[in-house]
Amino acid sequence: MAAQQGMPTSTLRGLEEALGMGMTVSGDTNEAVAAEGAYYLEQVTITEASEDDYEYEEIPDDNFSIPEGEEDLAKAIQMVQEQATDTQILEQKTVLSSKHAVPEAIEDFLCNFLIKMGMTRTLDCFQSEWYELLQKGVTELRDVGNVPDVYSQNMLLENENKNLKKELKHCKQAADKAREDLLKTQKERDFHRMHHKRTVQEKNKLINDLKGLKLHYASYEPTIRVLHEKHHTLLKQKMLTSLERDKAVGQIYGLQETLKHMEIGHSSHAPEIRVAPNCEKENAPEGPTQKGLREAREQNKRKTKMKVNKKDSEFPTDMQPNPNLSLCKENICPAKFDYKLNNILRLHELPVSCIVVHPHKDILVSCGEDRVWKVVGLPRGNVLLTGLGHTDWLSDCCFHPSGNKLATASGDTTVKLWDLFKGTCISTFEGHTHAVWSCTWHSCGDFVASSSLDTTSKIWDVNSERCRYTLYGHTDSVNSIEFFPYSNILLTGSADKTLSVWDARTGKCEQSLYGHMHSINDATFTPRGHMIASCDACGVTKLWDFRKLLPIVSIDVGPSPGNEVNFNSSGRVLAQASGNGVIHLLDLKSGHIHKLMGHESEAHTVVFSHDGETLFSGGSDGTVRMWS
């Protein structure tokens, strides 16, 4: 729009007043207008003659075609070069004028101001009156003029100021956030510095402790050296003593053979000659050598007579039926689980290893690691008999089917048979090379089976007092052994994680059962004999179908080891003695597990009374606990 340079004084005064009003407008409206952008009307007058003083140079439209007959390559190249030179000259001479910013007209400024202020009615009045004056010719556009540059510049500066304030606000927010991050980082730095100091202190303390341990270890080296020397000296003495013992034993055997030959020669040469006893020789004192020879002679005579008189027992072929098959029926009497601690019997100084109940009387026998077994009367718990004879801890015991004898297994590698009426040892079975863990009687009462740490089991003949069979097959300690009720079948549980079924008549393994993942500590039959229960060193108890030789169910009450399992007389309840001192009672009908809490330490053994009303358990504290 073309505008004149001059402006009336009244118009400028009105403009200044309008601009003064515009400077006091609220900030929200200014921001809205700044966002939308100011607009104005512009009148353009188009004329035919150009008002620009620049004279354009006419470029002739030359024909660059080459006439026929005058075609020449050099001339053509020259013409192209001249044309390119002329084009460069024209480009250098042609300078385009820059576009000047058109100032805003006064009427456009007023309209924008009224719109900015939201004065729509005033704007309508102004526009109607303004265009009416223009139509009447009273006012001309060129007399009005444009808004001075200073006011436009002020508006631009005001908008820039607002933008700068916004940026300042954002910068302040960023600075506050950076300040918070700095404080957080400083706190983390202080925490890590403190943690580093504490770590350094602990490191220095550990270094000092390590130095002290090294000095302590260095002080023990001379003592260890002296102990090694003493150990070697004792080994040498032991070897010399063993040689002397073997030499003495050889001499004794030689003397015994000499005596035998002398007796045989004397009887063959003078069988009928009898010498009257000499009173002087009888009354003369007997020397130690003569006494030893006489005792050896008497012992040989006794052994010879026993071997001649005693014969091997025969395994029964026609076994009587198991009486438990008719007695152990379900629902005869309800199973009992609500046992409560009734009495505590302090019988042993060391842990209790085994408890067995007499088959016919109200008494029980407990074995302990203090090398003693005791017969206890029930229900008062008074000690009736005490047995001594083993040289190491007792591991297991078992009643003879008649209840008159007792078999005990010990860590001294022997199995002993005891007469309960006299309380004396009547037989000792020696043959195992390591500790004996378990023993059991055959239902006929003529055989005893034992299992040992030496990976073997043995079947002993009670009458001939010799080992009938040695059972080989397990690769680790055999921890449990038991005869199948009223049969010739043996069950063994081993630390090699297997159960084995043996024929006692042949000493051969008939079947092996696999399924445990840890060492088997105990295994037993139900009274009816149709099921096997076993427990291992991680507290897993398994039930097996003995007829199919397949596992039925697995119950995990670990991780404490299961030391022993036993059924009640009905075969419905299974009790397990656990290493954490808990007695677990498993209801085989419902599958529920009940717990008896009463032992202060590890529970080693558990057994039911014949009527199932009382439960007995032994622990590592040397006590037997009665539950009823």
Side-chain angles (χ1 to χ4, degrees):
M1 180 183 67
Q4 294 181 355
Q5 298 293 330
M7 183 179 294
T9 305
S10 60
T11 305
L12 286 175
R13 189 178 298 111
L15 179 60
E16 288 175 356
E17 292 177 357
L19 289 174
M21 292 175 63
M23 297 297 288
T24 59
V25 182
S26 62
D28 296 335
T29 310
N30 294 337
E31 291 180 1
V33 175
E36 295 177 359
Y39 66 92
Y40 55 89
L41 299 176
E42 185 178 14
Q43 182 177 359
V44 180
T45 304
I46 300 175
T47 58
E48 294 181 358
S50 175
E51 295 180 357
D52 194 355
D53 297 332
Y54 186 81
E55 294 180 358
Y56 293 93
E57 191 176 285
E58 294 183 359
I59 299 175
D61 186 12
D62 297 331
N63 188 6
F64 293 102
S65 61
I66 300 173
E68 295 181 0
E70 296 181 0
E71 296 180 355
D72 191 1
L73 179 59
K75 289 183 179 180
I77 293 172
Q78 183 179 1
M79 291 176 65
V80 169
Q81 290 178 352
E82 290 177 356
Q83 185 177 1
T85 304
D86 294 339
T87 305
Q88 291 177 359
I89 293 171
L90 291 175
E91 289 179 354
Q92 291 177 359
K93 288 185 178 180
T94 304
V95 179
L96 297 176
S97 60
S98 60
K99 183 178 179 181
H100 298 283
V102 181
E104 189 177 11
I106 292 295
E107 64 273 16
D108 295 334
F109 174 78
L110 293 175
C111 290
N112 292 333
F113 173 73
L114 295 175
I115 293 172
K116 182 177 179 180
M117 296 299 297
M119 303 169 65
T120 55
R121 290 181 295 175
T122 307
L123 177 63
D124 295 336
C125 294
F126 172 74
Q127 287 180 345
S128 60
E129 188 174 358
W130 175 258
Y131 288 114
E132 184 180 356
L133 292 175
L134 287 178
Q135 290 178 357
K136 291 179 179 180
V138 177
T139 303
E140 294 183 359
L141 289 175
R142 54 189 174 184
D143 294 337
V144 177
N146 299 326
V147 179
D149 293 339
V150 61
Y151 297 109
S152 301
Q153 192 67 23
N154 286 338
M155 292 185 66
L156 293 175
L157 291 175
E158 185 179 357
N159 293 331
E160 187 175 358
N161 189 18
K162 292 178 182 178
N163 294 330
L164 290 174
K165 286 181 179 180
K166 289 182 180 180
E167 292 180 1
L168 178 62
K169 184 177 180 181
H170 292 309
C171 291
K172 284 183 178 179
Q173 293 177 354
D176 294 337
K177 185 176 180 182
R179 187 181 297 105
E180 293 177 357
D181 294 340
L182 177 62
L183 292 174
K184 183 178 179 181
T185 306
Q186 289 176 350
K187 290 181 180 178
E188 291 179 355
R189 179 202 61 188
D190 296 337
F191 172 76
H192 288 297
R193 184 179 296 169
M194 181 178 64
H195 183 67
H196 176 69
K197 290 181 179 178
R198 185 170 65 251
T199 306
V200 170
Q201 292 176 358
E202 292 178 355
K203 175 187 174 184
N204 295 331
K205 183 180 178 181
L206 290 175
I207 290 173
N208 294 330
D209 293 342
L210 184 61
K211 290 180 180 178
L213 289 174
K214 286 182 179 179
L215 294 174
H216 191 62
Y217 174 73
S219 65
Y220 271 103
E221 285 185 353
T223 307
I224 295 173
R225 195 179 302 110
V226 172
L227 290 175
H228 276 299
E229 293 176 357
K230 290 183 178 180
H231 177 67
H232 289 303
T233 305
L234 291 174
L235 287 177
K236 291 179 181 178
Q237 293 178 359
K238 180 182 176 182
M239 291 177 63
L240 294 174
T241 306
S242 300
L243 292 174
E244 292 177 357
R245 184 196 62 187
D246 295 340
K247 185 177 180 181
V249 170
Q251 291 177 356
I252 291 172
Y253 285 151
L255 291 173
Q256 290 176 355
E257 294 294 332
T258 303
L259 285 174
K260 288 181 182 179
H261 290 300
M262 289 174 64
E263 290 176 355
I264 293 171
H266 180 71
S267 62
S268 62
H269 290 291
E272 296 181 356
I273 296 176
R274 293 183 181 180
V275 180
N278 191 353
C279 295
E280 294 180 357
K281 290 184 179 180
E282 287 182 359
N283 296 329
E286 189 177 16
T289 304
Q290 296 175 355
K291 185 178 180 180
L293 292 173
R294 181 175 56 80
E295 292 178 353
R297 189 185 301 114
E298 293 177 355
Q299 186 176 2
N300 287 332
K301 289 180 180 179
R302 287 196 301 267
K303 288 184 178 179
T304 303
K305 289 181 180 179
M306 291 172 62
K307 289 181 179 179
V308 171
N309 296 330
K310 294 184 179 180
K311 296 182 180 179
D312 289 339
S313 303
E314 296 293 335
F315 283 96
T317 55
D318 297 331
M319 299 293 296
Q320 63 177 347
N322 187 354
N324 295 322
L325 294 176
S326 59
L327 295 177
C328 300
K329 293 183 179 179
E330 294 184 0
N331 299 326
I332 292 179
C333 58
K336 182 177 180 180
F337 298 100
D338 55 344
Y339 292 96
K340 294 184 180 179
L341 185 61
N342 185 22
N343 195 4
I344 299 177
L345 307 178
R346 301 190 179 276
L347 301 177
H348 299 275
E349 297 178 357
L350 293 177
V352 179
S353 56
C354 177
I355 300 174
V356 291
V357 179
H358 195 278
H360 309 298
K361 299 179 181 180
D362 290 335
I363 61 174
L364 63 82
V365 173
S366 68
C367 298
E369 295 184 8
D370 54 1
R371 311 177 186 179
V372 178
W373 56 268
K374 294 184 179 182
V375 180
V376 181
L378 300 176
R380 292 186 299 173
N382 53 320
V383 178
L384 304 177
L385 182 64
T386 300
L388 292 171
H390 284 286
T391 59
D392 209 338
W393 42 266
L394 298 181
S395 57
D396 193 16
C397 62
C398 183
F399 273 110
H400 188 274
S402 64
N404 299 328
K405 298 177 183 178
L406 182 73
T408 57
S410 172
D412 60 6
T413 72
T414 65
V415 177
K416 289 182 179 292
L417 303 183
W418 305 82
D419 187 344
L420 293 181
F421 290 111
K422 299 178 182 179
T424 57
C425 177
I426 57 177
S427 296
T428 300
F429 299 137
E430 298 178 352
H432 286 290
T433 58
H434 290 85
V436 182
W437 288 122
S438 180
C439 61
T440 179
W441 281 93
H442 192 282
S443 57
C444 68
D446 294 332
F447 300 96
V448 173
S450 61
S451 62
S452 172
L453 181 63
D454 59 8
T455 72
T456 66
S457 300
K458 290 182 181 293
I459 301 175
W460 307 91
D461 193 325
V462 176
N463 294 322
S464 63
E465 296 184 1
R466 73 182 188 92
C467 178
R468 293 287 297 271
Y469 296 105
T470 300
L471 310 181
Y472 297 97
H474 287 292
T475 59
D476 207 338
S477 171
V478 185
N479 298 329
S480 172
I481 190 167
E482 184 173 337
F483 271 107
F484 184 81
Y486 299 93
S487 73
N488 297 317
I489 297 175
L490 267 174
L491 173 68
T492 57
S494 172
D496 61 6
K497 310 172 188 176
T498 64
L499 295 170
S500 295
V501 180
W502 308 79
D503 188 345
R505 296 168 295 182
T506 61
K508 294 183 179 180
C509 180
E510 301 295 336
Q511 186 72 33
S512 293
L513 305 179
Y514 301 89
H516 279 282
M517 304 301 294
H518 302 87
S519 171
I520 298 175
N521 291 337
D522 190 34
T524 184
F525 290 101
T526 58
R528 297 175 60 187
H530 67 290
M531 193 183 302
I532 299 173
S534 59
C535 61
D536 64 19
C538 272
V540 177
T541 300
K542 284 184 175 292
L543 298 179
W544 309 77
D545 188 340
F546 184 62
R547 291 165 295 188
K548 299 179 180 179
L549 295 177
L550 293 174
I552 300 174
V553 69
S554 179
I555 305 101
D556 188 357
V557 292
S560 299
N563 294 323
E564 186 174 311
V565 286
N566 265 313
F567 288 95
N568 68 343
S569 58
S570 66
R572 176 180 170 181
V573 182
L574 176 67
Q576 183 213 50
S578 180
N580 58 2
V582 179
I583 306 298
H584 296 93
L585 300 179
L586 174 62
D587 187 353
L588 300 185
K589 188 173 182 180
S590 64
H592 293 160
I593 299 176
H594 305 267
K595 295 182 180 181
L596 302 181
M597 314 288 288
H599 281 279
E600 298 176 357
S601 56
E602 186 174 359
H604 286 172
T605 178
V606 62
V607 65
F608 288 94
S609 62
H610 294 297
D611 57 2
E613 294 296 322
T614 309
L615 182 74
F616 305 96
S617 60
S620 61
D621 56 357
T623 62
V624 174
R625 297 173 187 257
M626 299 174 59
W627 310 76
S628 60

